């Protein structure tokens, strides 16, 4: 099988609301820019994959693969499809594109993730997001189902190992600080509290989680171009500005039951809370021929809530189970630490347009390994991992991008 190369891409400004054109407006902005920035012509694209959670609910719009083909006349007749896996939708779209490249069906694939969620009031947006849980079974009487679910996950960590909010607060602080370096970040210009562990400026939302522990509703899109080794070799020969074509060196994909309670009951005596998450990360490392996570130079983690990043730390093997706080206290995960997490600002700082997040993570991994991350560049980054989750850790996808 051919290697899968990431040639680059583009994202929208996650601080901006989608305009009247909605989903199409975001896609028709980011796709041409991704092609222009990579120097790939529209007619060279052989297949396209779109990640999106809830276009039907927020915009009364499905069939987004066909919508993408409207962007350029050269896309007429292009094989295109849409993929949904809650917050991991973008990663699943990329997995499908990579499989087609590996199988030799096509030499070039366009992957676009997109979501519009700020076109309805916040309370309605929160209600619509219930679709990523078991809608008529979980937190049916809570107006904010996801803070409730992730507060339950925080309680699980607290019950097993002990959990102090000061460590969650430090995660938020790091991500907000990193986001100030990112010109596309939703929170880059926000006023922020002087402390993330105080009642008045950062009140409790549910359980151990405060307002800034919770990701915000975001509109946005991201697009990347991936290609076979054959095309990448030709592409590199086109000009001196193309110095490298990073590869997807490893990937992992695992899915657990939809309901949170079913996951928590599945292996209640296990050494980690979500064994399938550890397995997905381990699969990506093994396929990248790495012995452990210390062969990675930075990680883009799915911090839709601070507790999800906290969980990712020990599930990735950065610390023993239940000891994620150690990597927070000793600065391991800071942007200048031994293994930086979310130099982009992550979901808490950069933003979380659900269907776009998995694609954006890989785009940021590409930026890091090509030295194109600007003010949030991690020095010497050559291998960057992504950890993207959908729902209450139900779908997990992980990639290793190597320069």
């Amino acid at each position: 099988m051919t290697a899968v190369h990431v040639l680059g891409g583009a994202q929208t400004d996650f601080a901006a609301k989608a305009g009247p054109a909605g989903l199409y407006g975001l896609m028709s902005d980011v796709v041409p820019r991704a092609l222009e920035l990579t120097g790939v012509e529209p007619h060279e694209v052989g297949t396209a994959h779109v990640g999106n959670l809830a276009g039907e609910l927020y915009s009364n719009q499905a069939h987004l693969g066909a919508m993408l083909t409207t962007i350029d006349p050269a896309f007429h007749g292009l094989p295109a499809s849409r993929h949904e896996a809650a917050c991991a939708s973008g990663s699943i779209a990329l997995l499908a594109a990579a499989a087609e490249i590996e199988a030799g069906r096509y030499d070039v694939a366009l992957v676009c993730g997109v979501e519009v969620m700020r076109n309805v009031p916040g309370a309605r947006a929160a209600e619509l997001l219930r679709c990523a849980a078991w809608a008529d079974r979980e937190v049916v009487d809570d107006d904010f189902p996801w803070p409730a679910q992730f507060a339950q996950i925080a309680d699980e960590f607290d019950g097993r190992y002990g959990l102090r909010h000061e460590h969650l607060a430090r995660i938020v602080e790091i991500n907000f600080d990193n986001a100030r370096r990112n010109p596309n970040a939703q929170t880059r210009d926000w006023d922020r509290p002087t402390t993330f562990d105080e009642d008045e400026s950062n009140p409790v939302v549910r359980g151990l989680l405060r307002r800034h522990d919770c990701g915000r509703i975001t509109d946005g899109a991201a697009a990347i171009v991936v290609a076979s080794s054959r095309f990448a070799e030709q592409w590199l020969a086109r000009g001196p500005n193309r110095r490298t074509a990073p590869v997807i060196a490893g990937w992992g994909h695992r899915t657990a039951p939809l309901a949170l309670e079913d996951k928590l009951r599945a292996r209640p005596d296990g050494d980690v809370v979500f064994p399938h998450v550890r397995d997905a990360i381990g699969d990506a490392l093994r396929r990248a021929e790495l012995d452990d996570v210390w062969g990675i130079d930075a990680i883009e983690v799915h911090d839709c809530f601070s507790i999800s990043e906290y969980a990712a730390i020990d599930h990735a093997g950065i610390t023993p189970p239940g000891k994620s706080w150690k990597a927070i206290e000793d600065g391991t995960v800071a942007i200048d630490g031994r293994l930086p997490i979310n130099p982009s600002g992550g979901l808490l700082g950069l933003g979380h347009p659900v269907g776009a997040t998995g694609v954006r993570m890989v785009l940021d991994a590409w930026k890091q390994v090509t030295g194109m991350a600007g003010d949030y560049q991690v020095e010497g980054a050559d291998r960057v991992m992504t950890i993207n989750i959908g729902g209450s850790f139900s779908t997990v996808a992980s990639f290793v991008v190597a320069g």
Side-chain angles (χ1 to χ4, degrees), residues 47-225:
T47 184
H49 295 265
V50 179
N52 174 263
L53 165 65
E56 297 92 332
L57 297 179
Y58 288 87
S59 305
N60 196 33
Q61 183 62 63
H63 213 175
L64 299 185
M67 179 175 276
L68 183 144
T69 67
T70 312
I71 293 171
D72 192 283
F75 291 164
H76 186 94
L78 180 73
S81 55
R82 178 266 190 106
H83 305 262
E84 185 278 313
C87 303
S89 297
S91 288
I92 301 307
L94 177 55
L95 281 170
E100 291 197 300
I101 297 292
E102 289 171 337
R105 291 180 175 180
Y106 308 100
D107 279 323
V108 181
L110 173 66
V111 184
C112 180
V114 62
E115 207 76 56
V116 172
M117 300 189 294
R118 296 176 66 191
N119 60 336
V120 299
R124 178 59 176 160
E127 173 61 26
L128 292 175
L129 278 173
R130 192 184 300 275
C131 69
W134 198 316
D136 60 355
R137 174 180 165 188
E138 299 185 276
V139 286
V140 293
D141 296 324
D142 199 303
D143 291 337
F144 296 97
W146 289 109
Q149 291 248 295
F150 279 82
Q152 186 176 348
I153 292 169
D155 287 343
E156 182 72 20
F157 272 80
D158 189 28
R160 288 195 186 203
Y161 316 112
L163 177 64
R164 288 163 30 198
H165 184 265
E166 66 188 74
H167 296 122
L168 301 182
R170 179 59 182 150
I171 285 173
V172 179
E173 185 176 30
I174 290 171
N175 281 290
F176 272 48
D177 284 346
N178 292 349
R180 290 190 182 278
R181 307 167 184 254
N182 189 334
N184 289 310
Q186 185 175 19
T187 70
R188 63 185 184 267
D189 296 323
W190 284 13
D191 291 331
R192 56 173 239 181
T194 55
T195 174
F196 289 94
D197 210 10
E198 191 266 328
D199 287 343
E200 184 175 348
S201 60
N202 196 22
V204 171
V205 176
R206 295 288 186 278
L208 288 168
L209 302 183
R210 296 175 179 269
R211 181 173 63 189
H212 288 298
D213 291 302
C214 307
R216 303 302 203 277
I217 298 296
T218 313
D219 292 346
I224 59 174
V225 179

Side-chain angles (χ1 to χ4, degrees), residues 242-260:
R242 298 183 178 91
R243 295 172 296 171
T244 181
V247 297
I248 296 177
W251 58 272
H253 174 207
R254 300 286 182 121
T255 307
L258 178 59
L260 176 58

Side-chain angles (χ1 to χ4, degrees), residues 34-50:
L35 294 176
E36 181 181 3
L37 288 167
T38 58
V40 173
E41 297 294 333
H43 69 85
E44 294 180 300
V45 176
T47 184
H49 295 265
V50 179

